[in-house]
Amino acid sequence: MNKSKTFDYFNKVANTWLEDLEEKNEEDILINPFEGSWSISELYDHIIKVARTYQIPNFKKSVTTEVERKKRKNIKGLVIFNVGIKKINMKIKMENFPKPLVKDFTPIKQNKTELIKDFKQFINEVNSLKETLLKSKRKNKHYHLMFGDINTKDWFTLIAFHMAHHEKQKKKINEFLKSR
């Protein structure tokens, strides 16, 4: 996927998520449908938090002198970013991440108005990265815990792929809400 298509893909996914959120009522977004599961509000908050605290800062670092290179891109990274498989059946437990990331990634509940405002702001923040994305080079890489050294385009792609990764979870929550 070229850089412009990567950008368009993010907007397609993000706008679908925004439309879905806008259709929900206040009560539904706060319901935890299953023991130990997140509400819609928490799921969206998690997507935003991971992007703001991890993906976007590392995207930005990949084009600076602050880059950290540790290991070549691994097989997971190659499958996701080079082959383009967007959805991998992979259970990722936040407890397995370093403690500061767990704290940064743990969601909170927001009311619908706040969440929509925050999600729209998130979309705008990601869209503001377009120029950096288009100007980046393949050699601009920064280390990712699960994928190894990935380039700027991969870091950007990860934002949309993270939403795709949680699509199944969102669908389960939506099915529960419809069945009530």
Side-chain angles (χ1 to χ4, degrees):
M1 194 180 320
N2 71 34
K3 291 176 186 177
S4 290
K5 285 184 182 178
T6 300
F7 184 78
D8 293 342
Y9 174 72
F10 164 77
N11 280 297
K12 179 182 173 187
V13 173
N15 286 319
T16 300
W17 276 57
L18 179 60
E19 288 169 15
D20 188 49
L21 177 59
E22 289 173 333
E23 291 173 2
K24 301 274 182 285
N25 68 45
E26 181 74 37
E27 180 184 314
D28 283 350
I29 72 163
L30 300 173
I31 293 172
N32 296 80
F34 312 104
E35 180 74 29
S37 73
W38 289 339
S39 65
I40 288 289
S41 177
E42 290 168 309
L43 178 58
Y44 278 71
D45 187 65
H46 170 74
I47 295 295
I48 295 165
K49 281 184 172 176
V50 170
R52 285 183 177 151
T53 64
Y54 189 69
Q55 295 161 337
I56 293 172
N58 286 303
F59 165 90
K60 290 177 178 178
K61 274 186 184 175
S62 72
V63 294
T64 70
T65 57
E66 296 176 39
V67 297
E68 188 176 330
R69 306 281 294 268
K70 290 187 178 180
K71 299 177 184 172
R72 295 179 62 172
K73 188 185 294 183
N74 62 31
I75 191 71
K76 289 179 196 168
L78 291 169
V79 168
I80 291 172
F81 301 114
N82 295 54
V83 177
I85 297 176
K86 297 175 184 95
K87 295 179 186 177
I88 294 180
N89 262 344
M90 190 166 53
K91 287 264 186 192
I92 299 171
K93 294 286 183 190
M94 284 197 337
E95 299 82 37
N96 298 336
F97 284 89
K99 284 190 192 301
L101 291 181
V102 173
K103 182 180 159 271
D104 289 344
F105 294 177
T106 301
I108 59 168
K109 289 185 179 182
Q110 296 184 58
N111 71 46
K112 183 177 176 181
T113 304
E114 289 171 352
L115 188 58
I116 289 173
K117 181 181 173 187
D118 201 21
F119 197 72
K120 285 179 178 179
Q121 185 178 349
F122 157 71
I123 292 170
N124 288 334
E125 288 168 30
V126 175
N127 279 307
S128 75
L129 304 172
K130 184 176 184 177
E131 188 176 326
T132 303
L133 173 66
L134 295 175
K135 288 181 177 179
S136 68
K137 308 282 186 243
R138 287 184 142 212
K139 67 179 177 127
N140 296 126
K141 295 181 181 182
H142 184 64
Y143 181 71
H144 185 282
L145 290 169
M146 290 180 62
F147 307 119
D149 292 341
I150 60 174
N151 66 32
T152 308
K153 181 176 153 259
D154 296 342
W155 276 106
F156 186 89
T157 302
L158 197 54
I159 299 167
F161 280 9
H162 185 224
M163 285 189 278
H165 172 75
H166 282 283
E167 189 65 43
K168 189 174 174 182
Q169 181 181 9
K170 185 167 74 93
K171 187 177 179 182
K172 273 185 173 179
I173 298 169
N174 284 337
E175 287 171 0
F176 172 84
L177 294 173
K178 284 180 187 173
S179 72
R180 292 180 350 120

